Structures are given as C-alpha cells and as structure tokens.
Amino acid sequence: MTVGRFAPSPSGKMHLGNLFSFLMAWCSVRSAGGEMVLRMEDLDPQRTSAEFAAQIRRDLLRFGLDWDREVPCQSTRTAAYDAAFEKLEAMGLIYPCYCSRAEVHAASAPHLGQSEFVYAGTCRNLTPEQRASKKRLPAWRLRVPEAEWTVHDGLQGDYTELLSRDCGDFVVRRADGVYAYQLAVVVDDGDNGVTQVVRGRDLLASAPRQKYLFSLLGKPAPEYIHVPLLLAPDGRRLSKRDGDLDLDSLLGRYKPEEIIGVLAQAAGLIDKQEAISAKELASVFDWRHMRRDDICLTL
Ligand code: GLU
C-alpha cells in the first residue's frame, strides 16, 4: 500500500507553495487508495510553535486534505534519532566538526547551480589531540563516500550526485544538540512506514543524501516525487514573505475549490480553470499529466 505524508515545519503559516505540494501528495495517495500520515517537523524549538502546527492542521482540512494518522512530532523523537546517530557512529562514519559557519563557507565552493556549500572536509581527519585543543562545541558530520547516488524521481527522472563532490560530509547533529533535518526525516520516514515522498523540487538535492542514509540504516528508501515550485510573476520563488499569497488572505477572496482549480490547471492536471474539490481532483489525478518545470502563477 502507498503510504504518503505531509511533513510541514510549523515555523510559520502555510503559503500557496506548501499547499500545492500537499495537494499533490494527497491526490497521489488518495488516487492510489493509500494512507496519508501527518508529521509535524518541529525539530528546531527556537523556530517552531504549537500554534503554527494547529493552524497548519486547520488549513489542510479547509482544503479537504485529511490524513489517516498523525505520528509523533519530531520534538518528541530524540531517542530514535540518538539510536540512529549511535549506529552511524559505531560504523565510524561520524566525526566532530569545529568549524564556524563562516569557516565552512570560506573553505568551500558553492556548488554550481546550488545554494548549498560543499564542505571541504577541514575537520575530517583531526587527531584526538587536535580535537582536544578546540574550544568550541562541535557539530557532527557524516562521512560521505566517493560514490554516485542516483534517485529515480517519479517526475524529474534520474537525479545523480557524486556525494563527495556535490555535497560533502554533511551535518547530522548541530552543535546545540539539535538533530539535522536530513537525519530526522530519514529516521521518521522509515519508522512511519512512508513509501512515497511528494514534496517541492527544492528538496531534490537532499534526496541522494537521504537515500544514502537509508542504506546505512538498513531501511528501504521511499519513492521520491519532486513537484515544481510556484513562482511569483517576476520569477521569484513564492515564500512566506509573499503576504498577499498567504492562505488567510486568499481565502478572504476565493473559495478553497477555486484555489485548488487554479493550482490544478497551472499544473496541467485539468484543462479548464474551474472550481474543483481536492476529492474530485484525486478522482482524475494522473502523474503523467503533471508539469515538471516550475509554475509561474498569477492569482
Ligand atoms: N519539513 C520540510 C519543510 O517544510 C519538508 C521536509 C520533507 O518533505 O522532506 O520544508
């Protein structure tokens, strides 16, 4: 059975781009008769709140996007992340990194076309004496192999990264003890029995890292489908800063079915722009009609 998930970070209100990814994830699961899981990704206590989580639940339901079970949120899952971390540590793959953010940036080149920096490996082979001489609390990085990892994305096709060149050893636990998204999401998707991950294309570059982590932890990786991003008319990516496209303000002007209709037509899923409920869209949903490239939207 297909098990999909909503994995919002309750760090703000949902915007149209989030809604679009969630709508696609939901239609994909419902059209396959599968199960939908809701997981609040509140890893970072400084940035997330129970109020935003409550609002996201309400907003999903306003658009008819329901779920079959809500699984424990990330802030309650430290023991599971500890266990995964210890497993990786026992494999000799984790090391402490004492670099500041500025040092990481100075020592690494931004990878072409990506906003992320590739870690140069500065702390990879420090001796115990060198480690002992450091004054700051370390972050913890995972060693990546000089090997290519390919993700067969359901929409974008094959996406390959040579992890050592394109990503570098990446942080799995921050210096303040908070686990990094990459580790937490893999442990959770594995434990929640997720078989299909549908999310924005901005996370495609994370998929090879996540597949690598799944293989180290001895679990099968889910199917990945990365959907186009929504762009404002001037080509910028829609973000939480686009106040007029936040859901409250849109719902003051349009019915949920009208908003779903605009998104569905822009995505290529229906021919005419017309009001349609999430349930009706799921009944005609077909990934083969879905656009791959980013969508410029005017509302
Ligand atoms: N929580 C992440 C976000 O809101 C999504 C993570 C994921 O879908 O893997 O951006």
Side-chain angles (χ1 to χ4, degrees):
M1 183 173 59
T2 304
V3 180
R5 40 76 150 184
F6 297 128
S9 302
S11 57
K13 291 201 254 178
M14 239 163 85
H15 62 78
L16 204 56
N18 305 130
L19 175 66
F20 177 65
S21 304
F22 294 152
L23 178 65
M24 296 305 114
W26 188 88
C27 285
S28 179
V29 163
R30 291 296 181 228
S31 65
E35 187 185 32
M36 198 67 193
V37 167
L38 172 64
R39 178 175 74 234
M40 285 296 163
E41 301 216 315
D42 59 347
L43 263 186
D44 189 340
Q46 310 277 316
R47 292 206 188 165
T48 54
S49 77
E51 287 70 35
F52 283 131
Q55 169 129 24
I56 290 170
R57 284 188 202 94
R58 271 199 305 276
D59 282 342
L60 286 167
L61 293 174
R62 274 154 108 186
F63 286 89
L65 305 180
D66 61 353
W67 52 93
D68 302 295
R69 57 190 164 103
E70 178 162 358
V71 294
C73 56
Q74 291 187 324
S75 58
T76 65
R77 298 260 303 146
T78 310
Y81 308 146
D82 283 342
F85 184 86
E86 281 158 23
K87 182 165 181 179
L88 299 170
E89 206 168 31
M91 296 163 92
L93 292 173
I94 301 271
Y95 64 85
C97 168
Y98 300 88
C99 297
S100 69
R101 189 176 279 265
E103 285 160 349
V104 170
H105 285 196
S108 59
H111 189 250
L112 272 185
Q114 281 179 226
S115 55
E116 286 184 68
F117 286 81
V118 179
Y119 181 61
T122 317
C123 294
R124 198 173 219 242
N125 297 312
L126 295 182
T127 61
E129 295 73 39
Q130 285 171 313
R131 285 181 186 155
S133 72
K134 300 285 182 184
K135 297 283 176 286
R136 87 164 41 106
L137 278 178
W140 299 87
R141 288 186 185 268
L142 178 73
R143 289 175 198 273
V144 299
E146 259 179 63
E148 284 191 337
W149 282 78
T150 298
V151 170
H152 307 287
D153 187 274
L155 199 58
Q156 309 295 338
D158 282 0
Y159 175 74
T160 301
E161 278 195 358
L162 177 61
L163 288 178
S164 52
R165 181 196 63 206
D166 300 330
C167 155
D169 298 342
F170 58 93
V171 173
V172 288
R173 190 172 199 182
R174 300 191 329 203
D176 62 3
V178 173
Y179 281 101
Y181 156 72
Q182 304 291 358
L183 181 78
V185 81
V186 165
V187 173
D188 286 343
D189 281 336
D191 287 357
N192 300 158
V194 169
T195 66
Q196 183 183 74
V197 168
V198 176
R199 59 187 178 192
R201 216 168 58 93
D202 52 331
L203 287 169
L204 180 60
S206 287
R209 260 173 280 181
Q210 293 175 10
K211 203 171 160 186
Y212 170 55
L213 271 168
F214 272 110
S215 82
L216 293 176
L217 296 173
K219 297 216 170 173
E223 172 191 17
Y224 289 103
I225 305 178
H226 289 87
V227 299
L229 302 177
L230 299 188
L231 306 178
D234 62 3
R236 268 178 318 112
R237 210 184 127 192
L238 286 190
S239 75
K240 289 178 182 165
R241 285 188 305 263
D242 289 287
D244 50 339
L245 292 177
D246 92 27
L247 293 183
D248 284 338
S249 102
L250 285 173
L251 285 168
R253 289 180 281 148
Y254 304 98
K255 296 199 185 76
E257 289 77 16
E258 289 171 326
I259 298 173
I260 293 176
V262 170
L263 295 174
Q265 199 247 347
L269 295 170
I270 55 174
D271 297 332
K272 283 198 299 265
Q273 189 173 309
E274 58 193 354
I276 184 168
S277 69
K279 211 168 164 180
E280 286 162 336
L281 183 60
S283 71
V284 297
F285 182 82
D286 187 336
W287 278 117
R288 284 172 303 180
H289 297 150
M290 176 87 187
R291 284 177 55 150
R292 283 184 196 150
D293 41 340
D294 291 342
I295 297 171
C296 201
L297 207 72
T298 21
L299 247 178

